[in-house]
Amino acid sequence: MKTVGEKVECPHSLVPMRKAFNGTFIVAGGYDKEDGIKAIAEDRADLVAYGRWFLANPDLPKRFALNAPLNKYNRQTFYIPDPVVGYTDYPFLE
């Protein structure tokens, strides 16, 4: 396992669980678009969750489809009581 910035690379760590589980297998945690596509293509997952990226990019499917740049998320605004800052102030594509 190696760390690249915030990202920890260990793409095959869930393979034993994937093989043992018979239901829909969802992975999450640090996946970007390319990692998610690769996980599905290599049958390491059925679905990929993009929590932080979806939070910062409320139009994430559109951005992925257009290969548009992503808004960076701000961890300091996660789990704060402010009803406006963090969860609702990220811009959509124009």
Side-chain angles (χ1 to χ4, degrees):
M1 184 167 33
K2 76 178 184 182
T3 303
V4 178
E6 245 187 70
K7 190 172 182 176
V8 176
E9 293 185 11
C10 54
H12 304 289
S13 64
L14 295 176
V15 172
M17 275 67 77
R18 167 70 165 153
K19 290 180 180 178
F21 186 68
N22 292 322
T24 301
F25 196 74
I26 304 169
V27 296
Y31 288 83
D32 61 19
K33 178 183 173 184
E34 291 76 27
D35 295 333
I37 290 170
K38 189 173 179 182
I40 301 295
E42 294 176 356
D43 198 34
R44 291 186 279 119
D46 295 308
L47 298 167
V48 177
Y50 297 98
R52 291 171 285 203
W53 289 121
F54 227 127
L55 174 67
N57 298 276
D59 52 359
L60 188 64
K62 180 178 180 179
R63 288 176 187 258
F64 276 2
L66 297 173
N67 288 317
L70 300 179
N71 296 322
K72 295 188 186 304
Y73 52 83
N74 180 356
R75 286 183 179 277
Q76 293 180 349
T77 63
F78 291 179
Y79 311 112
I80 62 173
D82 192 310
V84 177
V85 176
Y87 288 103
T88 61
D89 63 342
Y90 289 102
F92 286 81
L93 283 174
E94 295 295 322

Coordinates of all heavy atoms in Angstrom, one line a residue:
M1 N 0.9 -1.2 0.0 CA 0.0 0.0 0.0 C 0.9 1.2 0.0 O 1.8 1.3 0.8 CB -0.9 0.0 1.3 CG -1.8 1.0 1.3 SD -3.1 0.8 2.6 CE -2.4 0.0 3.9
K2 N 0.6 2.2 -0.9 CA 1.4 3.4 -0.9 C 0.5 4.6 -0.9 O -0.7 4.6 -1.4 CB 2.4 3.5 -2.1 CG 1.7 3.8 -3.4 CD 2.8 3.9 -4.5 CE 2.2 4.3 -5.8 NZ 3.1 4.3 -6.9
T3 N 0.9 5.7 -0.3 CA 0.1 6.9 -0.2 C 0.6 7.9 -1.3 O 1.8 8.2 -1.4 CB 0.3 7.6 1.2 OG1 -0.1 6.6 2.2 CG2 -0.6 8.8 1.3
V4 N -0.4 8.5 -2.0 CA -0.1 9.5 -2.9 C -1.0 10.7 -2.6 O -2.2 10.7 -2.8 CB -0.5 9.0 -4.4 CG1 -0.2 10.1 -5.4 CG2 0.3 7.8 -4.7
G5 N -0.4 11.7 -1.9 CA -1.2 12.8 -1.4 C -2.2 12.3 -0.4 O -1.8 11.7 0.6
E6 N -3.4 12.5 -0.6 CA -4.5 12.1 0.3 C -4.9 10.6 -0.1 O -5.6 10.0 0.7 CB -5.7 13.0 0.1 CG -6.0 13.7 1.4 CD -7.4 14.4 1.2 OE1 -8.4 13.8 1.2 OE2 -7.3 15.7 1.1
K7 N -4.5 10.1 -1.2 CA -4.9 8.9 -1.7 C -4.0 7.7 -1.3 O -2.8 7.8 -1.4 CB -5.0 9.0 -3.2 CG -5.6 7.9 -3.9 CD -5.7 8.2 -5.4 CE -6.5 7.2 -6.1 NZ -6.7 7.5 -7.5
V8 N -4.6 6.6 -0.8 CA -3.9 5.4 -0.4 C -4.2 4.4 -1.5 O -5.4 4.1 -1.8 CB -4.4 4.9 0.9 CG1 -3.7 3.6 1.2 CG2 -4.1 5.9 2.0
E9 N -3.2 3.9 -2.2 CA -3.4 3.0 -3.3 C -3.3 1.6 -2.8 O -2.2 1.1 -2.3 CB -2.3 3.3 -4.4 CG -2.5 4.6 -5.0 CD -1.6 4.8 -6.2 OE1 -0.9 3.8 -6.6 OE2 -1.5 5.9 -6.7
C10 N -4.4 0.8 -2.8 CA -4.4 -0.6 -2.5 C -5.6 -1.2 -3.2 O -6.6 -1.6 -2.6 CB -4.4 -0.8 -1.0 SG -5.7 0.0 -0.2
P11 N -5.6 -1.2 -4.6 CA -6.8 -1.6 -5.3 C -7.3 -3.0 -5.2 O -8.4 -3.3 -5.5 CB -6.3 -1.4 -6.8 CG -4.9 -1.5 -6.7 CD -4.4 -1.0 -5.4
H12 N -6.5 -3.9 -4.7 CA -6.9 -5.3 -4.6 C -7.2 -5.7 -3.1 O -7.5 -6.9 -2.9 CB -5.9 -6.2 -5.2 CG -5.6 -5.9 -6.6 ND1 -6.5 -6.1 -7.6 CD2 -4.5 -5.3 -7.2 CE1 -6.0 -5.6 -8.8 NE2 -4.8 -5.1 -8.5
S13 N -7.2 -4.8 -2.2 CA -7.4 -5.2 -0.8 C -8.8 -5.8 -0.5 O -9.0 -6.5 0.4 CB -7.2 -4.1 0.1 OG -8.1 -3.0 -0.1
L14 N -9.8 -5.4 -1.3 CA -11.2 -5.9 -1.1 C -11.5 -7.2 -1.9 O -12.6 -7.7 -1.8 CB -12.2 -4.8 -1.4 CG -12.1 -3.6 -0.5 CD1 -13.1 -2.5 -0.9 CD2 -12.4 -4.0 1.0
V15 N -10.6 -7.6 -2.7 CA -10.9 -8.8 -3.6 C -11.3 -10.0 -2.8 O -12.3 -10.7 -3.2 CB -9.7 -9.1 -4.5 CG1 -9.9 -10.4 -5.3 CG2 -9.5 -7.9 -5.5
P16 N -10.7 -10.4 -1.7 CA -11.2 -11.6 -0.9 C -12.7 -11.4 -0.5 O -13.4 -12.3 -0.5 CB -10.3 -11.7 0.2 CG -9.0 -11.0 -0.2 CD -9.5 -9.9 -1.1
M17 N -13.0 -10.2 0.0 CA -14.4 -9.9 0.4 C -15.4 -10.0 -0.8 O -16.4 -10.6 -0.7 CB -14.5 -8.6 1.1 CG -14.2 -8.6 2.6 SD -12.5 -8.9 3.0 CE -11.7 -7.4 2.6
R18 N -14.9 -9.5 -1.9 CA -15.7 -9.5 -3.1 C -16.0 -10.9 -3.5 O -17.2 -11.3 -3.9 CB -15.0 -8.8 -4.2 CG -15.5 -9.0 -5.6 CD -16.8 -8.3 -5.8 NE -17.2 -8.2 -7.2 CZ -18.4 -8.1 -7.7 NH1 -19.4 -8.2 -6.8 NH2 -18.7 -8.0 -8.9
K19 N -15.0 -11.8 -3.4 CA -15.2 -13.2 -3.8 C -16.1 -14.0 -2.9 O -16.8 -14.9 -3.2 CB -13.8 -13.9 -3.9 CG -13.0 -13.4 -5.1 CD -11.7 -14.1 -5.2 CE -10.9 -13.5 -6.4 NZ -9.6 -14.1 -6.5
A20 N -16.0 -13.6 -1.6 CA -16.8 -14.3 -0.6 C -18.3 -13.8 -0.5 O -19.1 -14.6 0.0 CB -16.2 -14.1 0.8
F21 N -18.6 -12.6 -1.0 CA -19.9 -12.0 -0.8 C -20.7 -12.3 -2.1 O -20.2 -12.0 -3.2 CB -19.8 -10.5 -0.6 CG -21.1 -9.8 -0.3 CD1 -21.8 -10.1 0.9 CD2 -21.6 -8.9 -1.2 CE1 -23.0 -9.5 1.1 CE2 -22.8 -8.3 -1.0 CZ -23.5 -8.6 0.2
N22 N -21.9 -12.7 -2.0 CA -22.7 -13.1 -3.1 C -23.7 -12.0 -3.6 O -24.3 -12.1 -4.6 CB -23.6 -14.3 -2.8 CG -22.7 -15.5 -2.7 OD1 -21.7 -15.7 -3.5 ND2 -23.0 -16.4 -1.8
G23 N -23.8 -10.9 -2.8 CA -24.7 -9.8 -3.2 C -24.0 -8.7 -4.0 O -22.9 -8.9 -4.5
T24 N -24.7 -7.6 -4.1 CA -24.2 -6.4 -4.8 C -23.1 -5.8 -3.9 O -23.3 -5.5 -2.7 CB -25.3 -5.3 -5.0 OG1 -26.3 -5.9 -5.8 CG2 -24.7 -4.1 -5.7
F25 N -21.9 -5.7 -4.5 CA -20.7 -5.3 -3.7 C -20.4 -3.8 -4.1 O -20.1 -3.5 -5.2 CB -19.5 -6.2 -4.1 CG -18.4 -6.1 -3.1 CD1 -18.5 -6.6 -1.9 CD2 -17.2 -5.4 -3.5 CE1 -17.4 -6.6 -1.0 CE2 -16.1 -5.3 -2.6 CZ -16.2 -5.9 -1.3
I26 N -20.5 -2.9 -3.1 CA -20.2 -1.5 -3.2 C -18.9 -1.1 -2.6 O -18.7 -1.5 -1.4 CB -21.4 -0.7 -2.6 CG1 -22.7 -1.1 -3.2 CG2 -21.1 0.8 -2.8 CD1 -23.9 -0.5 -2.5
V27 N -18.1 -0.4 -3.3 CA -16.8 0.0 -2.7 C -16.8 1.6 -2.6 O -17.6 2.2 -3.3 CB -15.6 -0.4 -3.6 CG1 -15.4 -1.9 -3.6 CG2 -15.7 0.2 -5.0
A28 N -16.0 2.1 -1.7 CA -16.0 3.5 -1.4 C -14.6 3.9 -0.8 O -13.9 3.0 -0.2 CB -17.1 4.0 -0.5
G29 N -14.3 5.1 -0.8 CA -13.1 5.6 -0.1 C -11.9 5.9 -1.0 O -11.1 5.1 -1.3
G30 N -11.9 7.1 -1.6 CA -10.8 7.6 -2.3 C -10.8 7.2 -3.8 O -9.8 7.5 -4.5
Y31 N -11.9 6.7 -4.3 CA -12.0 6.4 -5.7 C -12.2 7.7 -6.5 O -13.0 8.5 -6.2 CB -13.1 5.5 -6.0 CG -12.9 4.1 -5.6 CD1 -13.1 3.7 -4.3 CD2 -12.4 3.1 -6.5 CE1 -12.9 2.4 -3.9 CE2 -12.1 1.8 -6.1 CZ -12.4 1.5 -4.8 OH -12.1 0.2 -4.4
D32 N -11.4 7.8 -7.6 CA -11.8 8.9 -8.6 C -12.4 8.2 -9.8 O -12.7 7.0 -9.7 CB -10.5 9.7 -9.0 CG -9.4 8.8 -9.7 OD1 -9.7 7.7 -10.2 OD2 -8.3 9.3 -9.7
K33 N -12.7 8.9 -10.8 CA -13.5 8.4 -11.9 C -12.8 7.2 -12.5 O -13.4 6.1 -12.7 CB -13.7 9.5 -13.0 CG -14.4 9.0 -14.3 CD -14.5 10.1 -15.3 CE -15.0 9.5 -16.6 NZ -15.0 10.5 -17.7
E34 N -11.5 7.3 -12.8 CA -10.7 6.3 -13.5 C -10.6 5.0 -12.6 O -10.7 3.9 -13.0 CB -9.3 6.8 -13.8 CG -9.3 7.8 -15.0 CD -9.7 9.2 -14.5 OE1 -9.6 9.5 -13.3 OE2 -10.2 9.9 -15.4
D35 N -10.4 5.2 -11.3 CA -10.3 4.1 -10.3 C -11.6 3.4 -10.3 O -11.7 2.1 -10.2 CB -10.0 4.6 -8.9 CG -8.6 5.2 -8.8 OD1 -7.7 4.8 -9.6 OD2 -8.4 6.0 -7.9
G36 N -12.7 4.1 -10.3 CA -14.0 3.5 -10.2 C -14.3 2.7 -11.5 O -14.8 1.5 -11.4
I37 N -14.0 3.2 -12.6 CA -14.2 2.5 -13.9 C -13.4 1.2 -13.9 O -13.8 0.1 -14.3 CB -13.8 3.4 -15.1 CG1 -14.9 4.5 -15.2 CG2 -13.7 2.6 -16.4 CD1 -14.5 5.6 -16.2
K38 N -12.1 1.3 -13.4 CA -11.3 0.2 -13.4 C -11.8 -0.9 -12.4 O -11.7 -2.1 -12.7 CB -9.9 0.6 -13.0 CG -8.8 -0.5 -13.1 CD -7.4 0.1 -12.9 CE -6.4 -1.0 -13.0 NZ -5.0 -0.5 -12.7
A39 N -12.3 -0.5 -11.2 CA -12.8 -1.4 -10.3 C -14.0 -2.2 -10.8 O -14.1 -3.4 -10.6 CB -13.2 -0.7 -9.0
I40 N -14.8 -1.5 -11.6 CA -16.0 -2.2 -12.2 C -15.5 -3.1 -13.3 O -15.9 -4.3 -13.4 CB -17.0 -1.2 -12.7 CG1 -17.5 -0.3 -11.6 CG2 -18.1 -1.9 -13.5 CD1 -18.3 -1.0 -10.6
A41 N -14.6 -2.6 -14.2 CA -14.1 -3.4 -15.3 C -13.4 -4.6 -14.9 O -13.5 -5.7 -15.6 CB -13.2 -2.5 -16.2
E42 N -12.7 -4.6 -13.8 CA -11.9 -5.7 -13.3 C -12.8 -6.6 -12.4 O -12.2 -7.5 -11.7 CB -10.7 -5.2 -12.6 CG -9.7 -4.6 -13.5 CD -8.5 -4.0 -12.8 OE1 -8.4 -4.0 -11.6 OE2 -7.6 -3.5 -13.5
D43 N -14.1 -6.3 -12.3 CA -15.0 -7.1 -11.4 C -14.6 -7.1 -9.9 O -14.8 -8.1 -9.2 CB -15.1 -8.5 -12.0 CG -16.4 -9.2 -11.4 OD1 -17.4 -8.5 -11.2 OD2 -16.4 -10.4 -11.2
R44 N -14.0 -6.0 -9.5 CA -13.7 -5.9 -8.1 C -14.8 -5.2 -7.3 O -14.8 -5.1 -6.1 CB -12.4 -5.0 -7.9 CG -11.2 -5.8 -8.3 CD -9.9 -5.0 -8.0 NE -9.6 -4.0 -9.0 CZ -9.6 -2.7 -8.8 NH1 -9.7 -2.2 -7.5 NH2 -9.3 -1.8 -9.7
A45 N -15.9 -4.7 -8.0 CA -17.0 -4.1 -7.4 C -18.2 -4.1 -8.4 O -18.0 -4.2 -9.6 CB -16.7 -2.7 -7.0
D46 N -19.4 -4.0 -7.9 CA -20.6 -3.8 -8.7 C -20.9 -2.3 -8.8 O -21.4 -1.8 -9.8 CB -21.8 -4.5 -8.1 CG -21.6 -6.0 -8.1 OD1 -21.3 -6.5 -9.2 OD2 -21.7 -6.6 -7.1
L47 N -20.7 -1.5 -7.7 CA -21.0 -0.1 -7.7 C -19.8 0.6 -6.9 O -19.2 0.0 -6.1 CB -22.3 0.1 -6.9 CG -23.5 -0.5 -7.5 CD1 -24.6 -0.4 -6.5 CD2 -23.9 0.3 -8.7
V48 N -19.6 1.9 -7.2 CA -18.6 2.7 -6.6 C -19.3 3.9 -6.0 O -20.0 4.6 -6.7 CB -17.5 3.1 -7.6 CG1 -16.5 4.0 -6.9 CG2 -16.8 1.9 -8.2
A49 N -19.1 4.2 -4.7 CA -19.6 5.3 -4.0 C -18.6 6.4 -4.0 O -17.4 6.2 -3.8 CB -20.0 5.0 -2.6
Y50 N -19.0 7.6 -4.4 CA -18.1 8.8 -4.5 C -18.5 9.9 -3.5 O -18.9 10.9 -3.8 CB -18.1 9.4 -5.9 CG -17.6 8.5 -7.0 CD1 -18.5 7.8 -7.7 CD2 -16.2 8.4 -7.2 CE1 -18.0 6.9 -8.8 CE2 -15.8 7.5 -8.2 CZ -16.7 6.8 -9.0 OH -16.2 6.0 -10.0
G51 N -18.5 9.6 -2.2 CA -19.0 10.4 -1.2 C -18.5 11.9 -1.2 O -19.2 12.8 -1.4
R52 N -17.2 12.0 -0.9 CA -16.6 13.4 -0.9 C -16.7 14.1 -2.2 O -17.0 15.3 -2.2 CB -15.2 13.3 -0.4 CG -15.0 12.9 1.1 CD -13.6 12.6 1.4 NE -13.3 11.3 0.8 CZ -12.3 10.5 1.1 NH1 -11.5 10.9 2.1 NH2 -12.1 9.4 0.6
W53 N -16.5 13.4 -3.3 CA -16.6 14.0 -4.6 C -18.0 14.4 -4.9 O -18.2 15.4 -5.5 CB -16.0 13.1 -5.7 CG -14.5 13.0 -5.6 CD1 -13.8 11.8 -5.4 CD2 -13.6 14.0 -5.7 NE1 -12.4 12.1 -5.4 CE2 -12.3 13.5 -5.5 CE3 -13.7 15.4 -5.8 CZ2 -11.1 14.3 -5.5 CZ3 -12.5 16.2 -5.8 CH2 -11.3 15.6 -5.7
F54 N -19.0 13.6 -4.5 CA -20.4 14.0 -4.8 C -20.8 15.1 -3.9 O -21.6 16.0 -4.3 CB -21.3 12.8 -4.5 CG -22.3 12.5 -5.6 CD1 -22.4 11.3 -6.1 CD2 -23.1 13.5 -6.0 CE1 -23.3 11.0 -7.2 CE2 -24.0 13.3 -7.1 CZ -24.1 12.1 -7.6
L55 N -20.3 15.2 -2.7 CA -20.6 16.4 -1.8 C -20.1 17.7 -2.5 O -20.9 18.6 -2.5 CB -19.9 16.2 -0.5 CG -20.0 17.4 0.5 CD1 -21.4 17.5 0.9 CD2 -19.1 17.1 1.7
A56 N -18.9 17.7 -3.0 CA -18.3 18.9 -3.6 C -18.8 19.1 -5.0 O -18.6 20.2 -5.5 CB -16.8 18.8 -3.5
N57 N -19.4 18.1 -5.6 CA -19.8 18.2 -7.0 C -21.2 17.7 -7.1 O -21.4 16.5 -7.5 CB -18.9 17.4 -7.9 CG -17.5 18.0 -7.9 OD1 -17.2 19.0 -8.6 ND2 -16.6 17.4 -7.0
P58 N -22.2 18.5 -6.8 CA -23.6 18.0 -6.8 C -24.1 17.5 -8.2 O -25.1 16.8 -8.3 CB -24.5 19.2 -6.4 CG -23.6 20.4 -6.5 CD -22.2 19.9 -6.4
D59 N -23.3 17.8 -9.2 CA -23.6 17.4 -10.6 C -22.5 16.4 -11.1 O -22.2 16.4 -12.2 CB -23.7 18.5 -11.5 CG -22.5 19.5 -11.5 OD1 -21.6 19.2 -10.7 OD2 -22.5 20.5 -12.2
L60 N -22.0 15.5 -10.2 CA -20.9 14.7 -10.4 C -21.1 13.8 -11.7 O -20.2 13.7 -12.5 CB -20.6 13.8 -9.2 CG -19.3 13.0 -9.3 CD1 -18.1 13.8 -9.5 CD2 -19.2 12.0 -8.1
P61 N -22.3 13.1 -11.9 CA -22.4 12.3 -13.1 C -22.2 13.1 -14.4 O -21.6 12.7 -15.3 CB -23.9 11.8 -13.0 CG -24.2 11.8 -11.5 CD -23.4 13.0 -11.0
K62 N -22.7 14.4 -14.4 CA -22.6 15.2 -15.6 C -21.1 15.6 -15.8 O -20.6 15.5 -16.9 CB -23.4 16.5 -15.4 CG -23.3 17.5 -16.6 CD -24.2 18.7 -16.3 CE -24.1 19.6 -17.5 NZ -24.9 20.8 -17.3
R63 N -20.4 15.9 -14.7 CA -19.0 16.2 -14.8 C -18.2 15.0 -15.3 O -17.3 15.2 -16.1 CB -18.4 16.7 -13.4 CG -18.9 18.1 -13.0 CD -18.5 18.4 -11.6 NE -19.0 19.7 -11.2 CZ -18.4 20.9 -11.2 NH1 -17.2 21.0 -11.6 NH2 -19.0 21.9 -10.7
F64 N -18.5 13.8 -14.8 CA -17.8 12.6 -15.2 C -18.1 12.4 -16.7 O -17.2 12.1 -17.5 CB -18.3 11.4 -14.5 CG -17.6 11.2 -13.1 CD1 -16.6 12.0 -12.7 CD2 -17.9 10.1 -12.4 CE1 -16.0 11.8 -11.5 CE2 -17.2 9.8 -11.2 CZ -16.3 10.7 -10.7
A65 N -19.3 12.6 -17.1 CA -19.7 12.4 -18.6 C -19.0 13.3 -19.5 O -18.6 13.0 -20.6 CB -21.2 12.5 -18.7
L66 N -18.8 14.6 -19.0 CA -18.2 15.6 -19.8 C -16.6 15.7 -19.6 O -16.0 16.6 -20.2 CB -18.8 17.0 -19.5 CG -20.3 17.1 -19.8 CD1 -20.8 18.5 -19.3 CD2 -20.5 17.0 -21.3
N67 N -16.1 14.9 -18.7 CA -14.7 15.0 -18.3 C -14.4 16.4 -17.8 O -13.3 17.0 -18.1 CB -13.8 14.6 -19.4 CG -13.8 13.1 -19.6 OD1 -13.8 12.3 -18.7 ND2 -13.8 12.7 -20.9
A68 N -15.4 17.0 -17.1 CA -15.2 18.4 -16.6 C -14.4 18.4 -15.3 O -14.3 17.4 -14.6 CB -16.6 19.0 -16.4
P69 N -13.7 19.5 -15.0 CA -13.0 19.6 -13.8 C -13.9 19.4 -12.6 O -15.1 19.8 -12.6 CB -12.3 20.9 -13.8 CG -13.0 21.7 -14.9 CD -13.7 20.7 -15.8
L70 N -13.4 18.9 -11.5 CA -14.1 18.7 -10.3 C -13.8 19.8 -9.3 O -12.7 20.3 -9.2 CB -13.8 17.4 -9.6 CG -14.0 16.1 -10.4 CD1 -13.6 14.9 -9.6 CD2 -15.5 16.0 -10.9
N71 N -14.8 20.2 -8.5 CA -14.6 21.1 -7.4 C -13.8 20.3 -6.3 O -14.1 19.2 -6.1 CB -15.9 21.6 -6.7 CG -16.8 22.4 -7.7 OD1 -16.3 23.2 -8.4 ND2 -18.1 22.1 -7.6
K72 N -12.9 21.0 -5.7 CA -12.2 20.3 -4.6 C -13.1 20.4 -3.3 O -13.7 21.4 -3.1 CB -10.8 21.0 -4.3 CG -9.9 20.9 -5.5 CD -8.5 21.4 -5.1 CE -7.5 21.4 -6.3 NZ -7.3 20.2 -6.9
Y73 N -13.1 19.4 -2.6 CA -13.8 19.4 -1.3 C -13.0 20.0 -0.2 O -11.8 20.0 -0.2 CB -14.4 18.0 -1.0 CG -13.3 16.9 -0.9 CD1 -12.5 16.7 0.2 CD2 -13.2 16.0 -2.0 CE1 -11.6 15.7 0.3 CE2 -12.2 15.0 -1.9 CZ -11.4 14.9 -0.8 OH -10.5 13.9 -0.7
N74 N -13.7 20.5 0.8 CA -13.1 21.2 1.9 C -13.4 20.4 3.2 O -14.5 20.5 3.7 CB -13.5 22.6 2.0 CG -12.9 23.3 3.2 OD1 -12.2 22.8 4.0 ND2 -13.2 24.6 3.3
R75 N -12.5 19.6 3.6 CA -12.8 18.7 4.8 C -13.1 19.5 6.1 O -13.8 19.1 6.9 CB -11.5 17.9 5.2 CG -11.3 16.8 4.2 CD -10.0 16.0 4.7 NE -9.8 14.9 3.9 CZ -10.4 13.7 4.0 NH1 -11.3 13.5 4.9 NH2 -10.0 12.7 3.2
Q76 N -12.7 20.8 6.1 CA -13.0 21.6 7.3 C -14.4 22.0 7.4 O -14.9 22.4 8.5 CB -12.1 22.9 7.3 CG -10.6 22.6 7.5 CD -9.8 23.8 7.5 OE1 -10.2 24.9 7.2 NE2 -8.5 23.6 7.9
T77 N -15.2 21.8 6.3 CA -16.6 22.1 6.4 C -17.5 20.8 6.5 O -18.7 20.9 6.4 CB -17.1 22.9 5.1 OG1 -16.8 22.1 4.0 CG2 -16.3 24.2 5.1
F78 N -16.8 19.7 6.7 CA -17.6 18.4 6.9 C -18.1 18.4 8.3 O -17.3 18.8 9.2 CB -16.7 17.2 6.6 CG -16.3 17.0 5.2 CD1 -15.5 15.9 4.9 CD2 -16.7 17.8 4.2 CE1 -15.0 15.6 3.6 CE2 -16.3 17.5 2.9 CZ -15.5 16.4 2.6
Y79 N -19.3 18.0 8.5 CA -19.8 17.8 9.8 C -19.9 19.0 10.7 O -19.6 18.9 11.9 CB -19.1 16.6 10.6 CG -18.9 15.4 9.7 CD1 -17.7 15.0 9.2 CD2 -20.1 14.6 9.4 CE1 -17.6 13.9 8.5 CE2 -19.9 13.5 8.6 CZ -18.7 13.1 8.1 OH -18.5 12.0 7.3
I80 N -20.1 20.1 10.1 CA -20.3 21.3 11.0 C -21.7 21.7 11.0 O -22.5 21.3 10.2 CB -19.4 22.5 10.4 CG1 -19.9 22.9 9.0 CG2 -17.9 22.2 10.4 CD1 -19.2 24.2 8.4
P81 N -22.2 22.4 12.1 CA -23.6 22.7 12.2 C -24.1 23.8 11.3 O -25.3 24.0 11.2 CB -23.7 23.2 13.7 CG -22.3 23.7 14.0 CD -21.4 22.9 13.2
D82 N -23.3 24.5 10.6 CA -23.8 25.6 9.7 C -24.6 25.0 8.6 O -24.2 24.1 7.8 CB -22.6 26.3 9.1 CG -23.0 27.6 8.4 OD1 -23.9 27.6 7.5 OD2 -22.3 28.6 8.6
P83 N -25.9 25.4 8.4 CA -26.7 24.8 7.4 C -26.4 25.3 6.0 O -27.0 24.7 5.0 CB -28.1 25.3 7.8 CG -27.9 26.6 8.5 CD -26.5 26.5 9.2
V84 N -25.6 26.2 5.8 CA -25.3 26.7 4.4 C -23.9 26.4 4.0 O -23.7 26.0 2.8 CB -25.5 28.3 4.4 CG1 -25.1 28.8 3.0 CG2 -26.9 28.6 4.7
V85 N -22.9 26.5 4.8 CA -21.5 26.3 4.5 C -21.2 24.8 4.4 O -21.5 24.1 5.3 CB -20.6 27.0 5.5 CG1 -19.1 26.7 5.1 CG2 -20.8 28.5 5.5
G86 N -20.6 24.4 3.3 CA -20.0 23.1 3.2 C -20.9 22.1 2.4 O -20.5 21.6 1.4
Y87 N -22.1 21.9 2.8 CA -22.9 20.9 2.1 C -23.8 21.5 1.0 O -24.3 20.7 0.1 CB -23.8 20.2 3.1 CG -23.1 19.3 4.0 CD1 -22.8 19.6 5.3 CD2 -22.6 18.0 3.5 CE1 -22.1 18.8 6.1 CE2 -21.9 17.2 4.3 CZ -21.6 17.5 5.6 OH -20.9 16.7 6.4
T88 N -24.0 22.8 0.9 CA -24.9 23.3 -0.1 C -24.2 24.5 -0.9 O -24.9 25.1 -1.7 CB -26.1 23.9 0.6 OG1 -25.8 24.9 1.5 CG2 -26.9 22.8 1.3
D89 N -23.0 24.8 -0.7 CA -22.4 25.9 -1.3 C -21.4 25.6 -2.5 O -20.8 26.5 -3.0 CB -21.7 26.8 -0.3 CG -20.5 26.2 0.4 OD1 -20.4 25.0 0.4 OD2 -19.7 26.9 1.0
Y90 N -21.3 24.4 -2.9 CA -20.4 24.0 -4.0 C -21.1 24.4 -5.3 O -22.3 24.0 -5.5 CB -20.1 22.5 -4.0 CG -19.1 22.2 -2.8 CD1 -19.6 21.6 -1.7 CD2 -17.8 22.4 -2.9 CE1 -18.7 21.2 -0.6 CE2 -16.9 22.1 -1.9 CZ -17.4 21.5 -0.7 OH -16.5 21.2 0.3
P91 N -20.4 25.0 -6.2 CA -21.0 25.4 -7.5 C -21.3 24.2 -8.5 O -20.5 23.2 -8.5 CB -20.0 26.3 -8.1 CG -18.7 26.0 -7.5 CD -19.0 25.4 -6.2
F92 N -22.4 24.4 -9.2 CA -22.7 23.5 -10.3 C -21.9 23.9 -11.6 O -21.5 25.1 -11.6 CB -24.2 23.5 -10.7 CG -25.0 22.8 -9.6 CD1 -25.4 23.4 -8.4 CD2 -25.5 21.5 -9.9 CE1 -26.2 22.7 -7.5 CE2 -26.3 20.8 -9.0 CZ -26.6 21.4 -7.8
L93 N -21.8 23.1 -12.6 CA -21.3 23.5 -13.9 C -22.3 24.5 -14.5 O -23.5 24.5 -14.2 CB -21.2 22.3 -14.9 CG -20.1 21.4 -14.7 CD1 -20.2 20.2 -15.7 CD2 -18.7 22.1 -14.9
E94 N -21.8 25.4 -15.2 CA -22.6 26.5 -15.9 C -23.2 25.9 -17.1 O -22.7 25.0 -17.8 CB -21.8 27.7 -16.3 CG -21.2 28.4 -15.0 CD -22.3 29.0 -14.2 OE1 -23.3 29.5 -14.7 OE2 -22.1 28.9 -12.9

